[in-house]
């Protein structure tokens, strides 16, 4: 378990000591429920909760110290034996402490960013590296500042490599995360439209993702997607060695002869420096091959041999709701409801067309955070459905309704806009026929998976 002295905390965060009692502490936590005797409670103000309102709970659970950013709340701490530290920004302090802890280890750290596929690539990379090393990886989708601090504070002496997912919600964020994690290897998967509302343009998104490339030192490694013009252009941002992966363009690591098997598997021939290896991933579609190629590039850089790569990829288990194929009665249900962006929605539609099915039905919920391009992006999805011969389009949400109109104008005969999960479930129950395949996709907040639950009842 991490252990910090008062001196460490002062050095890492520059905190002001408001009250000094205990001078040695265990781990740091932002959640009073995980506070154990001797730990430090760090009060973070989030969207829904303010940690400063739980100081008494932290103390009751045995916290030896608290770090806070609101001096007025000190009176809430009744226990005389607590060390109280003040910082201006507790989130920054959390990252600084995590960075301090990370600096005590000399293992290689891999960081992964991109608009789509970060979690999948993180898990694929960890699966490959676990064939040879003891791996620490970001749990679930914990890719924010808090998530990364949590991950780094989980570093233990037995770990031999760390795989970190880095999310991005604005310029400067990846720079901050990378400044703390100090990655040796940086992977940028792609630059799409996700978060365009926050960043204004795709160029700005590329700039923000490019911060990871800029953070890799000259003796490190940068892994870039050669098929995405924005990531390909990032090569100039670093002095580090660059390895590229791609399918359509020339790259160091490529995939050919990509075949989808209906049992939710994709097989491809992976080529690197004259070597050719047949690889299988338990995932559907070309977009996941990109994620696998990035993971292979990381594996090769970490000296994993091909037989281990093959084994690691084959045994990878995906996090749920990412093109998860389920059989329900006589129908194929595809749960891709984890999230949706224009890039990942088109990838999912392409995959749907490959699946063997009598009719292909797409149940589409709004794609959020697209700002000014929202309407146009949804209309494009509608036309994309028509061009890919989707038989039935059912939409949910005001934006997805724009896709419905565009799909109708482009020739899809059966298009229906619905107002609730229940209405969609009812509609599906009346129209579904043996052999149909139904894809569910929309932004996280649209909770498209709820419709599947209703169907299962
Ligand atoms: P988040 O930003 O929510 O953390 P993420 O970048 O971690 O997302 P995943 O969770 O791996 O991405 O996948 C999210 C969605 O993107 C899934 O629907 C998946 O099918 C799709 N996807 C995965 N990889 C790619 C890719 N390389 N290109 C386009 N879409 C992809
Ligand atoms: Mg993720």
């Amino acid at each position: 378990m991490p252990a910090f002295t008062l001196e460490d905390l002062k050095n890492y965060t520059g905190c002001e000591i408001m009250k000094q009692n205990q001078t040695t502490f265990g781990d740091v936590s932002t959640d009073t429920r995980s506070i154990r005797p001797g730990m430090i409670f760090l009060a973070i103000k989030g969207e829904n909760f303010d940690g400063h309102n739980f100081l008494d709970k932290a103390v009751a659970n045995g916290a030896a110290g608290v770090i806070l950013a609101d001096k007025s709340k000190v009176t809430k701490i009744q226990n005389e034996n607590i060390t109280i530290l003040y910082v201006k920004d507790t989130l920054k302090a959390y990252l600084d402490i995590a960075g301090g802890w990370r600096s005590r280890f000399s293992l290689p750290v891999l960081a992964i960013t991109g608009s789509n596929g970060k979690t999948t690539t993180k898990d694929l990379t960890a699966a490959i590296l676990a064939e040879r090393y003891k791996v620490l990886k970001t749990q679930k989708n914990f890719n924010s500042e808090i998530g990364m601090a949590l991950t780094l504070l989980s570093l233990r002496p037995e770990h031999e490599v760390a795989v970190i997912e880095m999310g991005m919600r604005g310029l400067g964020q990846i720079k901050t995360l990378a400044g703390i994690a100090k990655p040796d290897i940086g992977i940028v998967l792609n630059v799409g439209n996700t978060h365009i509302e926050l960043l204004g343009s795709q160029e700005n998104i590329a700039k923000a993702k490019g911060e990871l490339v800029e953070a890799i030192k000259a003796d490190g490694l940068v892994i870039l997607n050669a098929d995405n013009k924005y990531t390909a252009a990032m090569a100039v941002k670093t002095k580090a060695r660059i390895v590229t992966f791609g399918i359509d363009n020339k790259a160091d690591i490529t995939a050919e002869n990509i075949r989808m098997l209906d049992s939710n598997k994709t097989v491809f021939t992976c080529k690197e420096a004259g070597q050719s290896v047949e690889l299988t991933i338990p995932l559907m579609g070309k977009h996941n091959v990109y994620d696998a190629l990035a993971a292979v590039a990381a594996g090769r850089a970490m000296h994993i041999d091909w037989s281990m790569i093959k084994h690691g990829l084959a045994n990878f288990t995906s996090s749920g709701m990412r093109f998860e194929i389920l059989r329900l009665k006589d129908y194929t249900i595809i749960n891709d409801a984890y999230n949706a962006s224009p890039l990942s929605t088109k990838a999912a539609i392409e995959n749907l067309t490959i699946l063997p099915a009598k009719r292909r039905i797409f149940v589409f919920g709004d794609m959020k955070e697209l700002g000014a391009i929202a309407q146009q992006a949804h209309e494009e999805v509608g036309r994309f459905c028509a061009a890919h011969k989707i038989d039935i389009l059912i939409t949910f949400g005001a934006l997805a309704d724009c896709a419905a109109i565009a799909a109708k104008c482009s020739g899809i005969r059966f298009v229906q806009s619905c107002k609730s999960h229940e209405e969609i479930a009812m509609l599906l129950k009346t129209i579904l026929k043996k052999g149909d395949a139904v894809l569910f996709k929309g932004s996280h907040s649209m909770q498209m998976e709820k419709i599947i639950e209703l169907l299962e009842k």
Side-chain angles (χ1 to χ4, degrees):
M1 187 164 108
F4 302 100
T5 63
L6 187 57
E7 203 56 29
D8 291 334
L9 296 177
K10 245 172 65 186
N11 287 340
Y12 296 154
T13 68
C15 60
E16 175 190 323
I17 300 171
M18 291 185 69
K19 195 162 174 199
Q20 181 170 338
N21 280 302
Q22 307 191 44
T23 53
T24 55
F25 310 93
D27 206 352
V28 184
S29 177
T30 60
D31 183 344
T32 52
R33 289 166 301 185
S34 63
I35 290 285
R36 302 282 172 272
M39 281 171 59
I40 310 163
F41 176 65
L42 194 121
I44 287 189
K45 192 170 181 337
E47 263 170 43
N48 304 315
F49 296 100
D50 183 354
H52 293 90
N53 296 330
F54 299 95
L55 291 170
D56 47 350
K57 244 199 190 114
V59 172
N61 286 351
V66 298
I67 304 178
L68 44 75
D70 182 350
K71 288 185 178 175
S72 71
K73 297 284 168 45
V74 170
T75 49
K76 285 200 149 201
I77 303 171
Q78 306 290 347
N79 190 321
E80 283 301 310
N81 301 318
I82 304 294
T83 291
I84 304 173
L85 307 175
Y86 167 81
V87 291
K88 264 204 200 115
D89 179 348
T90 40
L91 181 58
K92 184 177 178 302
Y94 194 30
L95 277 174
D96 288 339
I97 296 168
W101 180 248
R102 184 260 176 270
S103 68
R104 299 186 196 180
F105 299 85
S106 63
L107 78 179
V109 172
L110 282 86
I112 300 170
T113 195
S115 294
N116 295 104
K118 296 179 290 297
T119 299
T120 309
T121 306
K122 177 258 299 178
D123 291 329
L124 286 165
T125 304
I128 289 176
L129 296 179
E131 291 287 314
R132 184 168 171 183
Y133 306 108
K134 177 95 177 118
V135 183
L136 171 74
K137 68 169 183 177
T138 300
Q139 290 303 303
K140 298 181 187 166
N141 191 39
F142 295 165
N143 64 17
S144 64
E145 284 89 345
I146 292 184
M148 196 188 78
L150 199 68
T151 308
L152 292 179
L153 286 165
S154 308
L155 268 172
R156 298 291 177 270
E158 66 266 25
H159 289 128
E160 293 169 307
V161 57
V163 184
I164 311 275
E165 173 173 345
M166 291 186 179
M168 187 280 294
R169 296 190 67 79
L171 282 166
Q173 184 175 7
I174 302 262
K175 188 178 175 188
T176 303
L177 294 176
I180 298 293
K182 301 211 171 9
D184 305 279
I185 299 179
I187 303 177
V188 189
L189 293 168
N190 45 48
V191 170
N193 286 328
T194 319
H195 299 327
I196 202 152
E197 189 173 54
L198 295 165
L199 282 115
S201 69
Q202 222 166 343
E203 282 68 26
N204 272 349
I205 297 173
K207 210 168 160 187
K209 308 272 182 213
E211 288 170 3
L212 177 58
V213 177
E214 286 163 359
I216 304 297
K217 285 197 272 100
D219 59 352
L221 173 71
V222 170
I223 297 173
L224 295 172
N225 181 350
D227 289 354
N228 182 288
K229 69 171 182 181
Y230 293 101
T231 53
M234 287 177 192
V236 297
K237 287 175 180 273
T238 179
K239 289 200 168 64
R241 186 164 74 88
I242 291 169
V243 169
T244 55
F245 63 92
I247 299 171
D248 303 328
N249 289 295
K250 200 168 168 293
D252 299 316
I253 296 183
T254 59
E256 286 176 11
N257 199 13
I258 301 170
R259 287 145 287 151
M260 316 303 158
L261 305 183
D262 71 344
S263 53
N264 204 11
K265 278 198 174 82
T266 304
V267 183
F268 60 98
T269 310
C270 185
K271 293 199 163 176
E272 186 213 30
Q275 279 184 298
S276 252
V277 189
E278 202 77 344
L279 296 177
T280 303
I281 47 171
L283 294 165
M284 274 291 293
K286 185 177 172 185
H287 62 292
N288 284 314
V289 174
Y290 280 104
D291 300 346
L293 289 178
V296 168
R300 294 299 289 157
M302 291 291 299
H303 315 292
I304 308 284
D305 67 37
W306 284 107
S307 65
M308 286 176 170
I309 287 180
K310 216 176 162 103
H311 189 258
L313 287 179
N315 290 312
F316 154 87
T317 46
S318 148
S319 307
M321 298 209 291
R322 288 164 178 87
F323 215 84
E324 199 179 340
I325 300 182
L326 318 159
R327 306 274 165 205
L328 185 66
K329 295 182 191 152
D330 296 326
Y331 327 120
T332 302
I333 301 289
I334 302 120
N335 183 351
D336 202 14
Y338 169 70
N339 221 340
S341 69
L343 203 64
S344 70
T345 302
K346 286 180 185 168
I349 295 167
E350 276 173 349
N351 283 342
L352 177 62
T353 63
I354 295 161
L355 280 182
K358 282 234 170 75
R359 294 186 306 175
R360 294 179 178 83
I361 303 170
F362 181 22
V363 184
F364 179 41
D366 287 356
M367 302 181 292
K368 301 290 192 193
E369 296 187 340
L370 291 173
I373 66 156
Q375 186 178 337
Q376 178 204 332
H378 285 80
E379 286 166 358
E380 250 170 51
V381 168
R383 287 191 288 274
F384 198 82
C385 287
H388 286 76
K389 310 247 170 314
I390 297 303
D391 297 287
I392 298 173
L393 175 66
I394 300 170
T395 62
F396 177 47
L399 287 168
D401 288 353
C402 301
I405 295 165
K408 228 178 217 161
C409 294
S410 309
I412 300 189
R413 281 206 221 120
F414 193 148
V415 178
Q416 180 84 45
S417 295
C418 292
K419 294 271 172 279
S420 67
H421 292 146
E422 289 75 16
E423 189 186 344
I424 297 174
M426 286 291 286
L427 175 64
L428 285 171
K429 278 181 183 166
T430 54
I431 64 167
L432 276 179
K433 287 189 195 152
K434 188 175 176 184
D436 284 346
V438 197
L439 166 68
F440 293 83
K441 192 167 182 70
S443 271
H444 205 64
S445 61
M446 300 306 289
Q447 299 189 306
M448 303 303 283
E449 69 281 6
K450 291 254 164 84
I451 306 165
I452 303 176
E453 285 165 22
L454 291 169
L455 281 180
E456 282 169 340
K457 271 183 195 160

